[in-house]
Amino acid sequence: MKARDEKFKSSVGYQIYPKSFKDTDGNGVGDINGIIEKLPYLNDLGIDFIWLNPVYQSPQVDGGYDISDFYAIDEMFGSLDDLKKLIEKAHEYDIKLIMDLVVNHTSDKHPWFVESKKSKDNPYHDYYHWVDASPEKMPNNWQSFFGGSAWTYDENLEQAYFHCFAKEQPDLNWKNPKMREDIYKMIRWWLDLGIDGFRLDAISHIQKENWDFEIKSPHGNDPWEPFMNVSGIEEYMSDIKAIFDEYGALTVGEASGVQSHQAPDWTDENGYINMIFELEHNWKKSDDPNNKIYIKGYKDIIMRWQKDMLERGWNALYIENHDNPRSIDTFGDGTLDSAKALAVHYMLLRGTPFIYQGQEIGIGNFPFTDINQIDVPDSHNYYNKLIEEGDTPEEAIKKAGLTSRDNSRTPMQWSDEKEAGFTDGKPWLAVNPSYLEINAQAMLADPNSLTNLYKKLINLRHENEVIVNGDVKFFNKGDKNTIVYRRKLDDKKILVIANLSPEKQKLALEKNFKGYEELDLGQEIQREFTKKMILDPWEYRVYIKGN
Ligand code: NOJ
């Protein structure tokens, strides 16, 4: 067993959605060589590791999260040799590479599933969850995350199989020890190849309740409760942890259903993984027509997670990823000023920050006008449901467009050249028309740009241990629009103030912070701290004290 490497705590991660990062062969899809080409850009940003979304062989029903061969790289991204080269080159820059580990489900085209469908006595039948059923009667009323029943009927077997995502993503049966051994073998194979760790996809769903577990009503109970961090998962997670420990792997889990008070057990020195992405904070008011994050709801959740992980455990910090619309539009008001306040408030919290490609240059949502501009299946399901319920196509695309995950999957905007410098061909998903102004080249050239602010924040984390190991205390907790916290380690203190609203806000802090100096984070003017400051829209200030 290797000693646990605590470096993940002082690291900053960068998430790459490979399909949309950089295309080098003109097929309109990003590739591994494109990532290699852009390593100098990532190195210049200052990040420490890359989380690479799936590049495995896949029919791409769900953006690569439907894997048909765990050991193969999908041709559209390149080859295994390209990946080895990426690992080697990234390591030359001292950048680590972690990959998605998708073991809750496979693609329905995976040979295991193809075999499992052949007959009830096929050796792979029990690799998945098959239960006797009829077209009229499914084993239970559980719902999939992507809408509709979590069961799909198979006429030949007169059974249904379980899937908590799309029907093309059958869930693996973790109760089967043979299946688990095959998964453990695969995990080792990738770590032996030289990757540095994993982002564990949907890991809290691998254990399910018994099939007779009743969901009372679609609105009463949480409809996904029967597969959210269900008891029994501990055994599987301990097995996985033992492998990670052998290699000293860097690990982050997507673990919805693991509550903040349970997260320390998952992520302390004896925990299964290094850190957790909580999914709670994407707090939206259901009646908000613009699909905005409700800042006070968000803030309460962040404060709770910070508090619950103060003594033990570790947070993964993020405001954007490939599963949500762009943060500049959901948290912010579409302006770069709002993106800057967002960057400052979350990058200095306690935990390991992740930056999602394009977030650092301020790419916003795509102005979708037609459902055919969207690829992702859940948006199509949602759109069709809205049409069935009587929406016009214009009304339906407005709603489905605002909430679509494809907002954040449009190509990275490198320059103001054709297709934003992403490809010489036709991009698989249209480039956001904002690229003429919003692109990496322009951002890097402007010293006060959002991108350069991210660089400063990354550097600040690297140079100040207080941001890594200091405690965190919030002030003005009840305020709806501002976030104020102080990080403290021995005599060193950092005070962070951000107005997360497009209006002026008056601070009424309960404490005066004396002897702090302002850090220059590219604002036009410096401002001395007072506890009753009136903050401009999206204003942010960072003050520092001590050595
Ligand atoms: C979470 C991933 O982030 C998401 O993109 C995917 O659709 C589901 N897990 C299923 O793998």
Side-chain angles (χ1 to χ4, degrees), residues 56 169 420 458:
Y56 312 99
Q169 293 168 294
I458 294 171

Side-chain angles (χ1 to χ4, degrees), residues 15 17 51 53-54 62-66 100 102-105 145-146 164-166 169 199-203 205 254 279 321-323 376-378 405 409:
Q15 183 190 348
Y17 194 72
W51 154 26
N53 279 118
D62 182 24
Y65 282 94
D66 46 321
D100 250 287
V102 188
V103 292
N104 175 69
H105 47 270
F145 288 115
F146 289 172
C164 58
F165 295 96
Q169 293 168 294
R199 177 262 190 185
L200 288 76
D201 180 67
I203 197 65
H205 313 314
E254 186 205 33
L279 302 194
N321 62 23
H322 65 297
D323 283 335
V376 76
D378 39 312
R405 302 193 277 171
R409 297 179 181 191

Side-chain angles (χ1 to χ4, degrees), residues 17 94 142 183 190 272 282 302 352-353 415 429 446 451 493 518 529 531:
Y17 194 72
D94 206 13
W142 299 3
I183 291 292
W190 279 102
Y272 311 128
N282 301 299
I302 292 298
T352 298
S415 69
L429 201 63
D446 170 1
T451 315
K493 293 169 188 165
E518 185 169 7
F529 169 81
K531 63 185 210 174

Side-chain angles (χ1 to χ4, degrees), residues 411-438:
M412 177 64 179
Q413 298 168 199
W414 293 107
S415 69
D416 61 3
E417 283 157 35
K418 195 172 150 279
E419 306 299 1
F422 162 69
T423 179
D424 291 338
K426 185 174 174 326
W428 73 280
L429 201 63
V431 172
N432 192 312
S434 69
Y435 76 97
L436 290 172
E437 276 105 49
I438 304 292

